[in-house]
Amino acid sequence: MIKSWKTKLIHSDAKIPEGYRSLATPTYRGSTTLFPSAAAVEDTWDQKRVGYTYGLYGTPTVMELAARICELESGTHTILTPGGQAAISLINLALLQSGDHMLLPASAYYPNRKLATRLLSRFGITTDFYDPCIGGGISSLIQENTRLIWCESPGSITMEVQDVPAIATAAHERKVRVVLDNTWSAGVLFDAFAHGVDITMQALTKYIGGHSDLLLGSVTVRDDSLHQRLGAAQQIIGCAVSPDDCSLALRGLKTLAVRLSAIETSALEIAKWLATRPEVERVLHPALESCPGHEFWKRDFLGSAGVFSIVFKPGPTQQQVFAFVDALQLFEIGYSWAGVTSLAVAYNLGHLPGRPAYDHRIVRLNIGLESTEELIADLEKALHQLPA
Ligand SMILES: Cc1ncc(COP(=O)(O)O)c(C=O)c1O
């Protein structure tokens, strides 16, 4: 066919050498996905079964990241979402319906709680919040219509490590499914399925990305029927993920082991140093005995990550705690965590039901890859902001 230059812009016959191989996964962007014939066109989300159909369900870059997370978490299917919170929403919207009840730990990531109380409640889904340290005692909270029990271990900010196997046993006796927010463990320091979890999700935004420059989430299951429900819901909700972000996350995976190991060592040294300080009442680091559920961390986890909290002794005002955070020079102030930069955020738990009475005395730290000695020196200087 003879083509004008305008047509050539769209349908080119230019040739390049074939056979290129790289260590990096190519970034395939695409909404339209080409079918070989008119009869082959179908709008099926399950691309693992039918082949590529539409960008919403993932390009090869997206599918590769999903497959890699699935392999690491020992699942059979992983669906990616545009962020960790989107993964939480997808799970709830796919698996709950009007009249259902769910149990959430009081220590859950706050937007997970807000989803339950402000959105799912409008659709007739009820939620009760439970003490994250409840273990097998969760049986007494399970109702006839309970469909999901969420775990988050360790919990956000207050860091309680949960007895996930005990919760899973109690849940399964009543045919209730267990979902775990496995973000802190990066999906590798805690084997969710081996501990009885049915659905594990992560904010890949954190350790998998690892550089504070992307937002992604994952939902991993071992059960085909769960996969079908999640995939069908993702199609309807339309939560597509960016292949560029997946490409960054694939790169992040390559250094995850060394980042986690360096961060673990540094965070532990800093946590132990903080535990010796007179201003500090308690260090909430799962690998220290002072953290609720430490015994479950010891029993169930393969290591520790770099996020933990400190609780100051009663005395400092909210302003003095803010002054402590503001005085830090190496720790930046900001949400999200698990990047290479250390972060500090002060919280006030005073208004939250079911949380320990730490009020405004709690500060969460994310340890990055700076020199441990310099981070300790930075903390030591900032502690002067607090009353002795
Ligand atoms: C434990 C936990 N789960 C989920 C999320 C949500 O992830 P994202 O920020 O990617 O939506 C966060 C974010 O801070 C988190 O800390």
Side-chain angles (χ1 to χ4, degrees), residues 141-358:
L141 302 180
I142 298 175
Q143 305 177 7
E144 273 305 296
N145 58 343
T146 305
R147 298 285 170 264
L148 282 185
I149 298 178
W150 272 88
C151 295
E152 185 183 318
S153 182
S156 279
I157 307 161
T158 43
M159 305 302 294
E160 299 89 345
V161 184
Q162 296 195 263
D163 189 350
V164 173
I167 292 175
T169 302
H172 293 157
E173 272 167 14
R174 305 278 293 275
K175 305 227 172 328
V176 178
R177 289 198 166 105
V178 177
V179 194
L180 172 71
D181 186 330
N182 205 14
T183 303
W184 188 83
S185 96
V188 291
L189 301 178
F190 181 83
D191 185 341
F193 294 117
H195 291 93
V197 167
D198 301 293
I199 302 154
T200 159
M201 58 79 37
Q202 279 188 70
L204 305 179
T205 310
K206 317 294 182 205
Y207 283 115
I208 305 296
H211 296 77
S212 314
D213 54 4
L214 64 89
L215 285 137
L216 281 172
S218 65
V219 183
T220 301
V221 294
R222 275 189 173 171
D223 175 309
D224 284 346
S225 69
L226 280 177
H227 177 233
Q228 290 300 316
R229 288 170 71 181
L230 288 159
Q234 188 199 25
Q235 176 180 40
I236 297 163
I237 297 165
C239 46
V241 308
S242 149
D244 290 282
D245 286 350
C246 290
S247 158
L248 286 174
L250 283 164
R251 189 166 67 171
L253 278 178
K254 296 182 194 198
T255 57
L256 178 65
V258 283
R259 282 187 286 112
L260 270 181
S261 160
I263 284 170
E264 172 175 44
T265 307
S266 187
L268 262 174
E269 193 176 330
I270 293 167
K272 285 179 183 162
W273 176 82
L274 281 163
T276 66
R277 293 292 311 193
E279 303 86 348
V280 173
E281 177 179 280
R282 196 166 192 186
V283 179
L284 301 171
H285 184 303
L288 299 190
E289 276 178 19
S290 47
C291 188
H294 163 72
E295 63 275 25
F296 305 125
W297 173 82
K298 225 159 121 183
R299 185 189 66 190
D300 298 339
F301 282 69
L302 300 176
S304 58
V307 176
F308 66 94
S309 297
I310 47 176
V311 182
F312 294 120
K313 288 182 181 155
T317 61
Q318 172 92 79
Q319 290 315 315
Q320 284 170 319
V321 175
F322 286 160
F324 160 76
V325 172
D326 289 341
L328 292 164
Q329 289 183 303
L330 298 180
F331 287 80
E332 303 286 353
I333 303 166
Y335 282 131
S336 212
W337 42 273
V340 299
T341 310
S342 292
L343 302 173
V345 178
Y347 289 89
N348 188 339
L349 303 181
H351 63 290
L352 279 177
R355 310 222 67 187
Y358 300 141

